[in-house]
Amino acid sequence: MLLSNDPGEESLAFTPQHFTAMLEAALIGAAESGRVAIDFGEQSISYRELLSEISRVQQQLSQAGLQPGSRVGIHVERSPALIATLLACLFSGIAFVPLDPLFPAGRLKDIAQEAQLDAVLETGRNDSAVIGFCCPVLALDPDGAADPQAGNVAPMRSPSLRPDTTAYMMFTSGSTGKPKGVVISHQALATFLCAAVERLGLDDKCHWLLITTIAFDISMLEIFAPLLVGGRLRLTNSDEHKDPHAVAALLTRYPSVNTLQATPTFWRMLVNTGWQGQAGLTALTGGEALDSGLAQQLLSRCAVLWNCYGPTEATVWSLMSQVQPDQPITIGSSLAGYGHLVLDETDQPVAVGQEGELCIYGDALSDGYWQRADLTARQFVTRGDGLRYYRTGDNVRRLADDCYQYLGRLDGQVKLRGYRIELGEIEARLRGLDAVRDAAVTLEGEGEQATLVAYLEQGEQNGADAPAMTRLQLRKALSAHLPGYMIPGRFVWLARLPTTASGKVDRKQLAAG
């Protein structure tokens, strides 16, 4: 699976048929070897059973009239059925849109409406949550029909797949008050997965503990990479995957687990449980800046530590560098099929030692934002070299060729526990409340102490000042549409938000108290 680091080289001209053929061959080969594909609690699912389940789900999709190019929401709880459903969509050329059942019903409805879904797939146990999605609901039997005695059923690979066929749409926080959809093609997903597998040196000995929600795009690596090499997944359930104590217990109970990916915040919580490490563990961290203190703690507890960087718009990670003891923490080492450039305020490349905006190019870039041509044109630009770039909004210092120091954001976007949050989305929801005239949200504190703080101007209702809402009332109102990680931990009522000379909210003065 050799790739070139030059995105323009022909060796990266994947076709979906090529990628799905590789995946199919890996699944069938592992089935013929009698391997286990997924562990879930005390249950073990063989590759043979997984193939049978993929085929069964594909039949249901076909019978429901879903065709290549259809868009379906995946509202399936964490289970082997979830993995089979995602694979069935990939092989069928049906674009999947993750709908985490743990997210608020209002937010899921917003995503379903924005994505204009053709159907929602669910396991028949969450009927009340999908009411109002304004599209058909296809109930998948979570307990059924996979036949362990069946032959190696090959997935039905759609003959109409093209490189630009959408594999999935991942919805992230949007500054307008609604989530925005990032469109990822089969070409982009294939480029990333093959490059990541090569960089990590994965083979059929891989045993990956899957803890990430499918609503966070880094889960695509956790789900598909082990299966692409005939490895093994241990899938955490809905209670375990966010609990560092439960994850520590799983690592201790199953010493054969040798790969784990998490945000720095979760790794720090795992270390704080007293977890002493795992022999032979490959640890991946990303989604937030990695600090040197945590890096040294992890290096003493695992065999290899990878520092990963990449926005959803570039298909998970674009940079993956191995962290070395007593060395500065940097981001760098482009994956095959990716390239990076740092541009100054005049859109010119910077010299070594200078800082600017990190831009990404290559075969793994998103097609853009779903039905947001204006935003797509602003963030995805074609330069004079003829290459299409994604402007990340991340400020970095160029330390050397393909090596950078992360300095922070250039806009109002923040990262909290690995999640990318547009503060404007929270502010828009707050301004929609009668009791709030205006709102500004900031991220304050560092590490585990970091929290979102909302500063509120009291609004007017029927010509009179509305009584200030309590913290509980505010949290309840926001929780109808925002996931927990986007709900401020503190609310501060002000007579008026401070402003700069230009009339903009003075966020520095807010944070300074």
Side-chain angles (χ1 to χ4, degrees):
M1 201 178 298
L2 297 178
L3 305 175
S4 165
N5 266 320
D6 183 351
E9 290 207 6
E10 195 168 330
S11 61
L12 273 177
F14 287 109
T15 65
Q17 290 89 344
H18 175 211
F19 174 63
T20 52
M22 290 168 51
L23 183 55
E24 177 189 76
L27 297 177
I28 292 177
E32 291 174 345
S33 300
R35 293 183 179 277
V36 170
I38 305 169
D39 296 301
F40 184 63
E42 300 303 317
Q43 182 183 18
S44 290
I45 308 298
S46 71
Y47 271 91
R48 187 184 298 270
E49 291 172 302
L50 178 60
L51 283 169
S52 178
E53 180 66 6
I54 293 170
S55 179
R56 188 177 72 86
V57 174
Q58 283 190 290
Q59 291 174 15
Q60 286 189 267
L61 297 176
S62 178
Q63 290 167 0
L66 297 169
Q67 303 293 328
S70 296
R71 294 176 303 281
V72 300
I74 307 297
H75 190 264
V76 179
E77 67 254 21
R78 297 175 70 87
S79 65
L82 171 61
I83 309 302
T85 301
L86 297 177
L87 288 165
C89 289
L90 270 188
F91 283 116
S92 301
I94 294 172
F96 62 83
V97 179
L99 298 172
D100 190 332
L102 297 180
F103 277 16
R107 186 170 187 80
L108 297 182
K109 183 178 178 180
D110 288 342
I111 292 174
Q113 291 177 341
E114 286 289 314
Q116 298 178 353
L117 297 178
D118 296 300
V120 171
L121 311 182
E122 58 108 24
T123 50
R125 295 174 179 169
N126 300 293
D127 291 342
S128 61
V130 296
I131 292 175
F133 277 10
C134 301
C135 63
V137 176
L138 177 60
L140 303 171
D141 182 359
D143 302 314
D147 181 4
Q149 303 304 318
N152 294 339
V153 181
M156 295 179 289
R157 288 190 280 124
S158 172
S160 61
L161 285 178
R162 302 185 311 274
D164 61 353
T165 299
T166 300
Y168 64 86
M169 289 203 299
M170 192 69 61
F171 277 77
T172 66
S173 179
S175 59
T176 62
K178 290 186 177 181
K180 60 179 183 287
V182 180
V183 181
I184 300 297
S185 69
H186 273 257
Q187 168 84 47
L189 182 59
T191 299
F192 165 68
L193 286 174
C194 291
V197 164
E198 182 181 11
R199 177 63 56 85
L200 296 172
L202 299 183
D203 57 23
D204 59 8
K205 303 298 190 296
C206 172
H207 192 180
W208 201 307
L209 181 61
L210 199 168
I211 67 171
T212 306
T213 169
I214 64 166
F216 191 177
D217 71 320
I218 71 173
S219 64
M220 300 297 103
L221 177 62
E222 298 178 32
I223 293 169
F224 298 125
L227 300 177
L228 193 57
V229 295
R232 188 167 181 167
L233 281 175
R234 174 158 286 280
L235 176 61
T236 53
N237 64 34
S238 297
D239 295 323
E240 295 168 336
H241 79 106
K242 293 191 292 185
D243 182 353
H245 292 278
V247 171
L250 287 170
L251 289 169
T252 300
R253 184 176 180 184
Y254 301 105
S256 63
V257 169
N258 55 26
T259 314
L260 177 62
Q261 172 180 254
T263 63
T265 294
F266 191 90
W267 279 116
R268 188 174 292 107
M269 291 191 296
L270 185 62
V271 169
N272 289 344
T273 67
W275 176 69
Q276 295 301 304
Q278 190 106 334
L281 182 68
T282 293
L284 290 83
T285 182
E288 303 169 291
L290 174 65
D291 64 83
S292 58
L294 177 60
Q296 296 309 312
Q297 289 178 308
L298 293 178
L299 284 169
S300 68
R301 288 169 168 81
C302 64
V304 181
L305 175 62
W306 293 92
N307 189 28
C308 307
Y309 167 90
T312 302
E313 289 85 348
T315 314
V316 190
W317 306 131
S318 63
L319 297 166
M320 295 177 67
S321 57
Q322 190 173 337
V323 180
Q324 302 295 339
D326 303 318
Q327 294 294 315
I329 304 299
T330 62
I331 56 175
S333 301
S334 297
L335 288 177
Y338 290 84
H340 296 77
L341 190 66
V342 183
L343 300 179
D344 63 17
E345 293 179 350
T346 64
D347 285 345
Q348 295 303 308
V350 305
V352 171
Q354 295 182 332
E355 63 182 75
E357 181 179 14
L358 186 61
C359 299
I360 308 173
Y361 62 95
D363 292 323
L365 285 193
S366 163
D367 293 338
Y369 300 103
W370 172 248
Q371 296 196 329
R372 291 292 306 277
D374 56 336
L375 185 58
T376 299
R378 187 163 67 246
Q379 296 301 124
F380 293 86
V381 298
T382 300
R383 288 174 43 82
D385 55 12
L387 296 176
R388 180 171 177 262
Y389 290 81
Y390 170 66
R391 306 186 67 109
T392 67
D394 286 330
N395 190 34
V396 301
R397 177 173 289 109
R398 184 182 170 209
L399 302 177
D401 287 344
D402 210 26
C403 182
Y404 316 95
Q405 177 188 4
Y406 178 78
L407 300 176
R409 292 291 301 175
L410 295 168
D411 55 21
Q413 191 182 103
V414 300
K415 284 286 188 77
L416 181 61
R417 294 190 290 279
Y419 290 101
R420 187 171 73 177
I421 299 172
E422 292 279 3
L423 298 177
E425 181 174 1
I426 307 172
E427 292 166 352
R429 289 292 178 189
L430 287 167
R431 293 189 191 104
L433 303 176
D434 290 337
V436 178
R437 184 201 309 269
D438 201 359
V441 180
T442 63
L443 179 64
E444 301 179 16
E446 296 181 358
E448 292 180 70
Q449 305 305 314
T451 187
L452 294 170
V453 181
Y455 295 90
L456 309 172
E457 273 189 27
Q458 188 165 304
E460 294 182 357
Q461 189 177 35
N462 299 325
D465 286 346
M469 297 173 69
T470 66
R471 178 176 180 272
L472 182 61
Q473 290 171 328
L474 287 164
R475 290 181 61 86
K476 183 177 180 180
L478 292 177
S479 66
H481 290 275
L482 300 180
Y485 65 83
M486 290 183 67
I487 297 178
R490 289 177 52 210
F491 297 89
V492 180
W493 289 95
L494 301 174
R496 185 169 297 279
L497 296 178
T499 57
T500 64
S502 62
K504 297 180 180 180
V505 173
D506 190 338
R507 295 178 186 274
K508 291 183 179 180
Q509 186 175 338
L510 285 174

